[in-house]
């Protein structure tokens, strides 16, 4: 394993020298997150313009070597708990916070997704949180729903991406053509399978301009529509840019002042929805 000191600004998938498992010092989690990367081919069905994955391609996760994943997860958990890996971590973050399915593409695109959740269930220490970070676009798959229901039994959390709440905004930021009706259906499915589902929203400036009043109104109106339909996410994880994009638009992106995020968060809280802001 590399001996470099880990930080919140470097989420390298190679820092542990493994194929599927990697450590992240998470500013939102406040500790070490054990990342599971099911997309080592850097393939995703979306192309978010703030994505930190280099050489990102359109596609799906390759077949998962479940035996190798099991070996890596078991070994890395042992190293974190009984080895000296934590000395590479800043002292204030020397705790294991969660196991997070994220990585270099959409994790639910793996055909073995439900099997991966079962594998994690066998090794996850009691009390350790399990998180799925997803764009939510593949919720119609039986294997995804099966995996999410198993996550619910494990007190797992789903972080469902919603960076903009209009079709034009999603096309611009996420390079996807999903309709908002489909997003609403996917989110409803996620919540029904795993009630502890949060929205995760990246708020940033593009070409020096912050998201406009229409972007905020679209987002708030989308949430109002959910609430009217009896659909309530656990809350919103609202965050800004912390690491540089590896996409062609990188030079056009910039972080917003923390007070801007807080002001938008206040509009969401006014709906009775919890908001956690990470500038």
């Amino acid at each position: 394993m590399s001996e470099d000191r880990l930080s919140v600004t470097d989420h390298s998938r190679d820092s542990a020298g493994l194929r599927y498992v990697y450590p992240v010092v998470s500013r939102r989690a406040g500790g070490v997150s054990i990342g599971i990367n099911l997309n080592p081919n850097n393939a995703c069905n979306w192309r978010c313009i703030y994505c930190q994955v280099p050489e990102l391609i359109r596609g799906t996760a390759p077949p998962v070597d479940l035996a190798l994943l099991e070996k890596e997860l078991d070994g890395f958990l042992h190293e974190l708990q009984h080895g000296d890996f934590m000395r590479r971590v800043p002292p204030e973050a020397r705790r294991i916070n969660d196991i997070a399915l994220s990585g270099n593409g959409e994790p639910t695109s793996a055909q073995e997704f439900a099997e991966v959740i079962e594998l994690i269930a066998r090794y996850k220490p009691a009390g350790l949180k399990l998180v799925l970070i997803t764009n939510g676009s593949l919720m119609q798959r039986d294997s995804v729903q099966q995996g999410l229901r198993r996550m619910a039994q494990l007190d797992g959390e789903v972080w469902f991406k919603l960076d903009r709440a209009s079709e034009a905004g999603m096309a611009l930021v996420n390079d996807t053509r999903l309709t908002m009706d489909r997003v609403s259906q996917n989110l409803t499915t996620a919540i029904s399978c795993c009630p502890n589902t949060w929205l995760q929203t990246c708020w940033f400036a593009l070409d020096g301009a912050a998201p406009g009043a229409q972007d905020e109104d679209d987002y708030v109106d989308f949430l109002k529509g959910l609430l009217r339909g009896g659909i309530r996410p656990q809350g919103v994880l609202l965050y800004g840019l912390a690491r540089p994009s590896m996409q062609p638009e990188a030079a056009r992106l910039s972080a917003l002042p923390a007070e801007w995020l807080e002001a938008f968060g206040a509009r969401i809280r006014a709906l009775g929805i919890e908001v956690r802001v990470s500038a």
Side-chain angles (χ1 to χ4, degrees):
M1 295 184 183
S2 168
E3 293 301 320
D4 294 338
R5 177 64 65 93
L6 299 175
S7 73
V8 298
T9 59
D10 180 8
H11 285 203
S12 172
R13 314 299 190 218
D14 301 320
S15 60
L18 305 175
R19 177 173 176 81
Y20 295 113
V21 177
Y22 64 97
V24 171
V25 180
S26 174
R27 66 198 167 109
R28 283 182 283 170
V32 175
S33 177
I34 302 170
I36 306 292
N37 178 22
L38 301 182
N39 303 74
N41 59 346
N42 294 3
C44 189
N45 61 338
W46 287 16
R47 192 193 68 81
C48 302
I49 60 176
Y50 57 81
C51 182
Q52 297 96 22
V53 176
E55 301 177 0
L56 182 70
I57 61 172
R58 292 279 192 173
T60 190
V64 178
D65 184 337
L66 292 168
L68 178 59
L69 173 58
E70 182 172 15
K71 178 181 178 181
E72 291 188 355
L73 181 58
D74 183 28
F76 193 63
L77 276 167
H78 186 273
E79 172 68 18
L80 283 179
Q81 293 172 311
H82 306 292
D84 60 0
F85 191 88
M86 282 294 188
R87 66 187 174 81
R88 298 175 52 201
V89 177
E92 67 276 9
R94 288 178 181 169
R95 55 181 291 271
I96 307 174
N97 188 79
D98 59 45
I99 297 175
L101 285 141
S102 178
N104 289 10
E106 175 50 43
T108 64
S109 68
Q111 294 296 324
E112 303 85 356
F113 178 74
E115 296 168 85
V116 169
I117 299 300
E118 284 294 346
L119 188 159
I120 293 171
R122 293 199 298 272
Y123 287 93
K124 186 181 78 66
L128 188 64
K129 187 164 64 174
L130 174 60
V131 178
L132 168 66
I133 302 174
T134 177
N135 62 32
S137 64
L138 301 174
M139 292 295 149
Q140 74 278 5
R141 292 187 175 182
D142 289 341
S143 65
V144 175
Q145 295 179 25
Q146 180 183 340
L148 263 60
R149 286 192 290 269
R150 184 69 175 104
M151 284 188 63
Q153 295 172 353
L154 299 167
D155 296 322
E157 290 184 12
V158 175
W159 294 3
F160 187 109
K161 185 185 298 293
L162 183 70
D163 295 321
R164 300 294 182 272
S166 68
E167 289 159 20
M170 291 186 67
L172 176 66
V173 173
N174 309 118
D175 201 1
T176 183
R177 305 298 173 188
L178 279 186
T179 65
M180 293 313 301
D181 283 344
R182 172 58 67 182
V183 174
S184 181
Q185 291 169 21
N186 288 340
L187 180 57
T188 299
T189 298
I191 293 173
S192 68
C193 292
C194 187
N196 196 3
T197 292
W198 294 71
L199 293 173
Q200 56 156 350
T201 299
C202 189
W203 217 240
F204 57 90
L206 179 63
D207 296 325
Q214 188 63 55
D215 292 311
E216 290 196 11
D217 289 347
D218 288 340
Y219 195 100
V220 170
D221 289 345
F222 179 79
L223 292 179
K224 287 179 178 177
L226 291 176
L227 296 175
R228 285 195 298 269
I231 306 301
R232 176 177 286 273
Q234 285 293 312
V236 174
L237 305 171
L238 180 62
Y239 66 103
L241 296 177
R243 305 182 304 280
S245 168
M246 292 295 176
Q247 305 312 307
E249 296 87 351
R252 301 173 57 198
L253 312 182
S254 57
L256 293 171
E259 56 267 27
W260 291 34
L261 296 178
E262 291 289 353
F264 180 39
R267 288 195 64 186
I268 300 170
R269 290 190 187 100
L271 302 176
I273 294 175
E274 181 178 353
V275 181
R276 298 176 183 173
V277 176
S278 300

